[in-house]
Amino acid sequence: MSNTVLALLANHQEWQLVQNDHSLIPDLIEESLRFDSPVLSLMRRVCTDTEIAGVKLPADDFVFPLLGSANHDASQFSDPKRFWVGRKSRAYLSLGSGIHFCLGAQLVRLQARIAFEEIFSTFENFEKADQSPLKYFDSFFFRGVENLQLNFVVKKRTSSVGILKDYRE
Ligand code: HEM
């Protein structure tokens, strides 16, 4: 959630786009997962001697695939440094892949969608509360800020409270 808010703060046009059209929230979440992956790396033990891209990997070695880096691979994503809600490629690896693909993936997407629908319906004019540097978790595997304080304006409600919507789909 915080990685997404930070990406939006740095990309005001994308913020306006989603603010004006909430049907783009699922695309916002997908692009945020790619752009600033909360899980940066995995760990794998090599079972048998093998070779990947010309690099020999002896059995019992450990490998740390960098998901965050793969998500910015220019051969998979055009203009990978750009935070772009309209991006169509979903080839990112932030939720893993194969048999260990994240079991919580749909829950994460649903939670984030509900949260951002509420945020965009309730608040506007976000900005960082102060200009002090962000402190990221001290972790090789996870990426996120320890604390993100924001100033915002509460919008006037024109419709019923969104949380009563039916999210079962
Ligand atoms: C944004 C939030 C999340 C991210 C970025 C994320 C990312 C990942 C990644 C990269 C993997 C693959 C691990 C590997 O291959 O070694 C994974 C696995 C897994 N995730 Fe998530 N996850 C998230 C939230 C959740 C939630 C909310 C749940 C449960 C409610 C969950 C449950 C699991 C489980 C059980 C696995 C292991 C699946 C397996 O080994 O077969 N995750 N997740």
Side-chain angles (χ1 to χ4, degrees):
M1 295 291 298
S2 56
N3 291 2
T4 307
V5 170
L6 285 169
L8 288 172
L9 284 175
N11 294 275
H12 196 70
Q13 267 188 320
E14 300 301 285
W15 185 297
Q16 283 305 322
L17 205 67
V18 186
Q19 178 81 64
N20 294 336
D21 180 358
H22 294 190
S23 73
L24 296 174
I25 289 174
D27 292 338
L28 166 69
I29 294 160
E30 298 302 310
E31 174 63 351
S32 171
L33 280 166
R34 180 201 73 84
F35 182 74
D36 201 3
S37 180
V39 177
L40 279 183
S41 174
L42 303 177
M43 185 174 74
R44 292 288 187 268
R45 186 174 66 86
V46 180
C47 294
T48 52
D49 291 351
T50 188
E51 189 174 316
I52 297 178
V55 178
K56 286 192 172 22
L57 299 171
D60 287 334
D61 259 19
F62 285 91
V63 178
F64 297 86
L66 300 177
L67 305 183
S69 173
N71 290 345
H72 285 241
D73 180 349
S75 71
Q76 296 294 320
F77 304 99
S78 61
D79 202 359
K81 299 289 168 216
R82 176 176 169 207
F83 181 72
W84 176 28
V85 171
R87 190 182 293 281
K88 293 295 169 231
S89 172
R90 300 286 181 247
Y92 66 79
L93 295 176
S94 312
L95 296 164
S97 67
I99 57 168
H100 292 293
F101 183 73
C102 178
L103 279 183
Q106 295 309 332
L107 178 63
V108 165
R109 290 178 169 125
L110 180 65
Q111 285 181 322
R113 178 159 69 81
I114 293 171
F116 275 108
E117 282 178 2
E118 288 307 307
I119 288 169
F120 282 118
S121 311
T122 313
F123 309 119
E124 59 188 350
N125 297 348
F126 279 86
E127 56 181 26
K128 267 185 81 207
D130 61 55
Q131 293 312 310
S132 57
L134 294 165
K135 190 166 183 322
Y136 279 81
F137 294 120
D138 188 12
S139 167
F140 185 75
F141 294 98
F142 301 109
R143 180 170 159 84
V145 286
E146 288 183 358
N147 188 325
L148 179 60
Q149 298 195 18
L150 301 168
N151 291 332
F152 51 82
V153 174
V154 179
K155 286 167 108 171
K156 285 199 185 111
R157 290 273 189 194
T158 51
S159 57
S160 59
V161 179
I163 201 84
L164 298 177
K165 281 185 221 153
D166 188 341
Y167 286 108
R168 280 174 301 185
E169 83 273 20

